[in-house]
Amino acid sequence: MARSFTQKLIHFKGEEVSQKLKVSKLLTLLEGHPYEEQLKNIFNTDSIINDYISIGNISTVFNQLKSIQSQYKLYNIKVHTKDVSFTRGNNRVEGISDINPLKFNFTEYSDEFGEIFNESSSAYAIYDSKSQFFDDFSMTKFVNMLFDKKYDKLAEYNLNFFRSLPAKDGFNKYKSYRLVEHEGEKFVRGVTSLGYKEYGVSFSFVASMLMLHKYMKRTEGNNYSIIFAAVNESKLELIATSDFLKDAGDFGKIRSAISVKTNDFGKGALSITHIINVVVKGSGFYLYPKSNTIQKKDINISHGNTSPQKTLEILNQLDDFYGNVDKFVEELKTIKTIKTPEDLRKRIILKFEHHNSLLKSIKGDLKPIFSKVLSNDIKDFASLLEMCRKAEELEIDYDLKEKLRVEISDIILNK
């Protein structure tokens, strides 16, 4: 029973660039979503229900999300800590090295509508759900160590002490357990407070596509394409670019872009970041500009304090990024005057070879890409950009991909 909860890259074909999708069809992704009506009201979808959204690759991403929805059922249950214990499962779960992965066991729980069930249920622990449970006892590292070494009885002994304490001591908490069901098997994606706001993959995609559609209607000539997307049932990252290419000297052609991300159990529920797409042999690679003017336009919605209504208002009012390209060109030309290709290449290598590097797990993939020594001419600056493009195309974990982009941006753009 190998279940894949790894974020998968969506591969686009050239003929898909001119795709379009009707608003009414796009909104089917939100059927049953808790913020469906609020989103429709904020974006006034009744007035555009028959519009077609002409964004490159929109249908390809839509179809992938529809497929995920059909295969993975997401829902929540509410459980007191005293009604949770752990056992071992007999089946392999992809992404978990243990051949007998831990399972949450629930003796009593209530569903999203408040109905109480006095019957046993179990679900495999995936992502950081196990650690999120232990965090309430400030013993995450200790209990994880016990389970990793198969000292299950000792781990349960320690947990039983806290389960026995009265609710007034703050340990027997009533929490939301975020479940996903796939092919008849249940998995715990996360353990959160009851007030936790999960926007989700479909919400983030629909909101961002409606936002871009609004830009296109408001300013004739604005055109966008999705040139990168990686998804699973709980995580989304997509990059949408403008079609307006601008010359940036030795950096070649660049264009404005935004990165739209959601991670149901990360630090930020939903973020939109303004970035630069450096065009190298197709899609190219991405840099995070250092300009304060641009960075102030980024948004990062948390799972906690920001209401769904406020979140939607922020998204609906976000400025178009189409014209940012001129600011990006200015920043890149300034950088080129003070750094050489070889200097930048060495800095990148030193970054991932450092013993504390966040990228050390992919050192073996990165080192061959950046191995060629460069001089200081236009040809070799183009070679450096090609190296960055190859690094961008590595099929690696979602979080590592993000760290790699940030590290390369810091090296190239920091003066």
Side-chain angles (χ1 to χ4, degrees):
M1 181 206 64
R3 299 288 194 271
S4 177
F5 295 98
T6 304
Q7 203 172 3
K8 302 294 186 183
L9 182 68
I10 298 178
H11 295 280
F12 300 124
K13 299 176 182 178
E15 62 268 22
E16 297 170 344
V17 173
S18 59
Q19 289 178 350
K20 61 182 179 179
L21 185 71
K22 200 170 185 178
V23 170
S24 58
K25 188 174 183 179
L26 174 69
L27 293 174
T28 62
L29 286 171
L30 287 186
E31 291 174 351
H33 193 283
Y35 311 137
E36 177 183 5
E37 293 306 316
Q38 287 169 291
L39 181 142
K40 289 179 177 178
N41 290 335
I42 291 292
F43 282 96
N44 192 20
T45 56
D46 284 346
S47 67
I48 58 171
I49 199 69
N50 292 315
D51 284 9
Y52 283 90
I53 303 177
S54 297
I55 294 174
N57 298 311
I58 186 172
S59 294
T60 303
V61 180
F62 172 86
N63 291 335
Q64 183 65 30
L65 294 182
K66 270 294 187 182
S67 176
I68 289 172
Q69 283 190 342
S70 69
Q71 297 179 59
Y72 297 84
K73 178 185 177 184
L74 307 182
Y75 59 98
N76 308 326
I77 60 174
K78 299 173 185 177
V79 192
H80 283 102
T81 302
K82 66 179 179 60
D83 296 319
V84 181
S85 62
F86 292 92
T87 57
R88 294 282 175 176
N90 296 319
N91 298 316
R92 292 294 299 264
V93 176
E94 186 176 336
I96 299 177
S97 58
D98 198 325
I99 60 173
N100 297 116
L102 279 180
K103 297 185 80 171
F104 283 85
N105 295 285
F106 310 109
T107 55
E108 181 180 296
Y109 58 93
S110 64
D111 64 16
E112 295 173 273
F113 307 102
E115 183 177 355
I116 297 176
F117 295 84
N118 291 300
E119 57 188 47
S120 296
S121 181
S122 63
Y124 286 95
I126 57 173
Y127 301 134
D128 291 327
S129 58
K130 177 163 56 85
S131 294
Q132 288 170 352
F133 177 86
F134 300 147
D135 280 347
D136 275 349
F137 313 117
S138 299
M139 55 192 296
T140 302
K141 188 174 181 180
F142 172 61
V143 177
N144 271 326
M145 180 273 293
L146 294 179
F147 278 124
D148 288 344
K149 292 183 177 296
K150 301 296 192 295
Y151 299 148
D152 295 18
K153 289 184 179 180
L154 183 55
E156 282 294 320
Y157 178 84
N158 281 274
L159 290 171
N160 277 332
F161 173 79
F162 291 103
R163 292 188 189 109
S164 67
L165 296 175
K168 66 180 180 65
D169 289 346
F171 290 107
N172 186 22
K173 294 182 180 179
Y174 200 39
K175 289 212 160 186
S176 178
Y177 288 73
R178 310 275 165 160
L179 303 187
V180 54
E181 189 169 339
H182 180 58
E183 296 181 355
E185 194 65 75
K186 298 173 185 174
F187 305 84
V188 181
R189 300 183 299 141
V191 182
T192 69
S193 68
L194 299 183
Y196 188 93
K197 300 174 185 65
E198 182 181 327
Y199 292 98
V201 169
S202 294
F203 175 95
S204 303
F205 179 69
V206 172
S208 58
M209 293 302 100
L210 291 175
M211 181 180 71
L212 294 181
H213 183 58
K214 181 186 69 173
Y215 296 161
M216 294 169 73
K217 292 191 72 171
R218 187 172 62 197
T219 306
E220 186 176 353
N222 274 17
N223 293 294
Y224 307 92
S225 291
I226 301 168
I227 63 171
F228 173 90
V231 297
N232 66 4
E233 88 294 335
S234 298
K235 298 177 183 178
L236 161 77
E237 180 178 9
L238 68 82
I239 292 177
T241 67
S242 75
D243 70 342
F244 179 49
L245 289 169
K246 187 98 175 187
D247 188 278
D250 289 346
F251 275 88
K253 301 291 185 181
I254 69 166
R255 53 191 170 191
S256 297
I258 55 168
S259 166
V260 180
K261 296 183 296 181
T262 187
N263 182 348
D264 289 349
F265 306 103
K267 293 181 179 179
L270 173 59
S271 67
I272 295 181
T273 307
H274 294 75
I275 61 176
I276 307 166
N277 175 219
V278 181
V279 181
V280 182
K281 292 186 179 179
S283 59
F285 67 99
Y286 311 96
L287 295 174
Y288 292 72
K290 301 301 175 184
S291 165
N292 289 332
T293 304
I294 297 296
Q295 288 183 344
K296 286 178 181 178
K297 297 179 180 180
D298 296 341
I299 65 169
N300 195 348
I301 307 297
S302 72
H303 291 285
N305 298 326
T306 309
S307 70
Q309 181 72 16
K310 183 63 176 176
T311 295
L312 286 161
E313 289 173 357
I314 291 171
L315 292 174
N316 190 40
Q317 295 168 10
L318 193 67
D319 289 337
D320 191 0
F321 63 89
Y322 203 86
N324 288 341
V325 67
D326 289 329
K327 297 184 179 69
F328 295 160
V329 167
E330 183 180 330
E331 186 167 0
L332 291 174
K333 286 186 174 180
T334 301
I335 295 303
K336 179 58 181 70
T337 62
I338 60 172
K339 294 181 181 176
T340 69
E342 179 60 13
D343 176 35
L344 294 172
R345 186 193 69 86
K346 286 181 178 177
R347 293 189 193 193
I348 292 171
I349 285 182
L350 286 172
K351 198 73 173 183
F352 64 70
E353 286 191 334
H354 192 276
H355 68 278
N356 286 330
S357 172
L358 298 171
L359 302 173
K360 60 185 177 183
S361 64
I362 56 170
K363 174 182 174 181
D365 297 308
L366 290 171
K367 193 167 184 177
I369 292 174
F370 290 96
S371 61
K372 180 184 176 183
V373 176
L374 300 173
S375 60
N376 187 30
D377 57 31
I378 293 176
K379 180 181 177 181
D380 272 0
F381 200 81
S383 296
L384 175 70
L385 301 184
E386 173 67 6
M387 292 174 184
C388 294
R389 181 192 68 81
K390 288 180 178 179
E392 170 64 37
E393 291 182 350
L394 290 174
E395 292 204 15
I396 55 178
D397 179 74
Y398 165 96
D399 295 322
L400 276 176
K401 178 84 76 170
E402 175 73 4
K403 290 182 177 74
L404 177 59
R405 289 174 182 154
V406 170
E407 295 284 18
I408 289 177
S409 294
D410 284 345
I411 291 165
I412 291 179
L413 297 180
N414 276 334
K415 297 181 175 64

